[in-house]
Amino acid sequence: MARSPKTAGKGRKLSNFLCFAIYSANLAFGRAYKPLLDKVGLTYTQYIALVALSDEDEQTVSALGEKLFLESNTLTPILKKLEQMGLIKRHRDPADERQVRLSLTPAGRRLIEQDLGGSLIEATGLGDDFPVVQKTVSRLRDNLLRATKADD
Amino acid sequence: MARSPKTAGKGRKLSNFLCFAIYSANLAFGRAYKPLLDKVGLTYTQYIALVALSDEDEQTVSALGEKLFLESNTLTPILKKLEQMGLIKRHRDPADERQVRLSLTPAGRRLIEQDLGGSLIEATGLGDDFPVVQKTVSRLRDNLLRATKADD
DNA sequence: TCCATATAAATCGTATCCGATTAAATCGGA
DNA sequence: TCCGATTTAATCGGATACGATTTATATGGA
């Protein structure tokens, strides 16, 4: 899969793999963000987590994980780092001590309101297609996750 | 950036970020491939590297890196693992001992000719749009890399 | 020829991802 | 009430990414 149906069977070229297009586009986004995020001392994943946290206060790790498609094994170290940087607060929910509640600090909110990636819209070169591509790729993701979850 | 131009300034929701759509679609592809690749003992990155190597024999690490948008720091450990698994051969070029030449072994070629991801085409749910999306995302990647390289 | 420069790959440290396991807290039926 | 099953985070180990450095080789001008 991840290759065009049209070329199935032969021409097993990387350029025909959708999975590789996504994989390499993800690397490209990481590199495009790097110089912008370096200025504020954030990594790409930390930045994405921070954006998700700006959605709503007092989210649990699980709830954040559902938004990001990640679990506590990945998130816990990142969240501890963000807390250590003074950008978020973590505390056990008194009503259920198993859960950890997450909230941005004022510093974290200020940082995220800077619209750090704004200058990259033009760099995508997508123009008016931007929202279409965004929706198509999101749909692709949801389809893949549904199919993966279906047969496991 | 990575957010739709239309929503810039407010509604800083993750769902409006193109970078997040790509990031999460990449995770989704990795998970969709996982059960298929587990059967043959490959990781996702190893699989992608193997496909790129099937293009052509006697590629150098740098040449492979250009195709994959990676460098020797990432590739060397992966290539050593693939060699250890008996799927590729690595040897210094006698004409220039700085370079390492890479080729698939018969076992490596047999493995890659199985069309391991074929069953995932349907899972993308893209239908006839598959090749269009593949091209659009590749173009997005190239635009981002060009823009990133431009101002560094 | 000699050596400073350049190039290719490898190495190292940090930060993700992720499967598997663990630890702590909660829940629910006997 | 009590204890086994469940749930939530955290921990651990293996495999990427990647900036920075190192090592080995090659090149070119004095």
Side-chain angles (χ1 to χ4, degrees), chain B residues 1-146:
Chain B
M1 138 356 145
R3 280 184 300 112
S4 162
K6 296 292 177 51
T7 61
K10 43 200 45 147
R12 210 177 302 276
K13 304 260 302 174
L14 213 48
S15 58
N16 292 325
F17 281 65
L18 175 57
C19 65
F20 177 67
I22 295 286
Y23 166 87
S24 51
N26 184 50
L27 294 181
F29 258 126
R31 291 166 199 181
Y33 266 106
K34 184 82 173 45
L36 306 173
L37 294 177
D38 276 351
K39 291 198 213 306
V40 296
L42 284 177
T43 66
Y44 187 51
T45 308
Q46 288 166 2
Y47 170 64
I48 287 177
L50 218 49
V51 171
L53 286 169
S54 74
D55 241 23
E56 177 182 10
D57 277 348
E58 300 293 306
Q59 293 182 74
T60 64
V61 174
S62 299
L64 178 65
E66 282 184 29
K67 288 183 181 176
L68 298 180
F69 306 100
L70 294 172
E71 292 173 30
S72 66
N73 52 3
T74 300
L75 288 176
T76 296
I78 294 169
L79 295 169
K80 283 184 173 177
K81 193 70 197 294
L82 289 174
E83 182 182 41
Q84 176 192 320
M85 291 190 274
L87 301 175
I88 71 170
K89 282 291 183 193
R90 293 162 71 243
H91 67 89
R92 291 279 167 181
D93 185 338
D96 185 342
E97 294 276 352
R98 291 173 302 181
Q99 301 184 335
V100 168
R101 297 281 173 178
L102 310 164
S103 294
L104 291 191
T105 62
R109 192 161 297 281
R110 272 197 303 279
L111 201 163
I112 220 57
E113 281 171 355
Q114 285 183 234
D115 191 20
L116 283 161
S119 63
L120 287 183
I121 294 182
E122 194 189 355
T124 64
L126 295 178
D128 292 343
D129 290 340
F130 189 108
V132 180
V133 177
Q134 192 276 321
K135 276 183 180 44
T136 303
V137 175
S138 299
R139 188 161 51 87
L140 163 64
R141 172 200 63 212
D142 294 339
N143 290 339
L144 283 172
L145 291 177
R146 188 163 34 247

Side-chain angles (χ1 to χ4, degrees), chain A residues 45-65 67-68 75 78-80 82-83 87-90 100-105 108-109 112, chain B residues 12-14:
Chain A
T45 309
Q46 288 166 3
Y47 170 64
I48 287 177
L50 218 49
V51 171
L53 286 168
S54 74
D55 241 23
E56 177 183 8
D57 277 348
E58 300 292 306
Q59 293 182 75
T60 64
V61 174
S62 300
L64 178 65
K67 289 183 181 174
L68 297 180
L75 287 176
I78 294 168
L79 295 169
K80 282 185 174 177
L82 289 174
E83 182 182 42
L87 301 176
I88 70 170
K89 282 291 184 191
R90 293 161 72 244
V100 168
R101 298 282 174 178
L102 310 164
S103 294
L104 291 191
T105 62
R109 191 161 298 282
I112 222 55
Chain B
R12 210 177 302 276
K13 304 260 302 174
L14 213 48

Side-chain angles (χ1 to χ4, degrees), chain A residues 22-62:
Chain A
I22 295 286
Y23 167 85
S24 51
N26 185 50
L27 295 182
F29 258 126
R31 290 166 200 182
Y33 265 105
K34 183 84 173 42
L36 305 174
L37 294 177
D38 275 351
K39 291 198 214 308
V40 296
L42 283 178
T43 66
Y44 187 51
T45 309
Q46 288 166 3
Y47 170 64
I48 287 177
L50 218 49
V51 171
L53 286 168
S54 74
D55 241 23
E56 177 183 8
D57 277 348
E58 300 292 306
Q59 293 182 75
T60 64
V61 174
S62 300

Side-chain angles (χ1 to χ4, degrees), chain A residues 69 71 142-152, chain B residues 28 31-32 35:
Chain A
F69 306 100
E71 292 173 30
D142 294 338
N143 290 340
L144 283 172
L145 291 176
R146 187 160 38 243
T148 302
K149 178 139 295 183
D151 48 42
D152 62 0
Chain B
R31 291 166 199 181

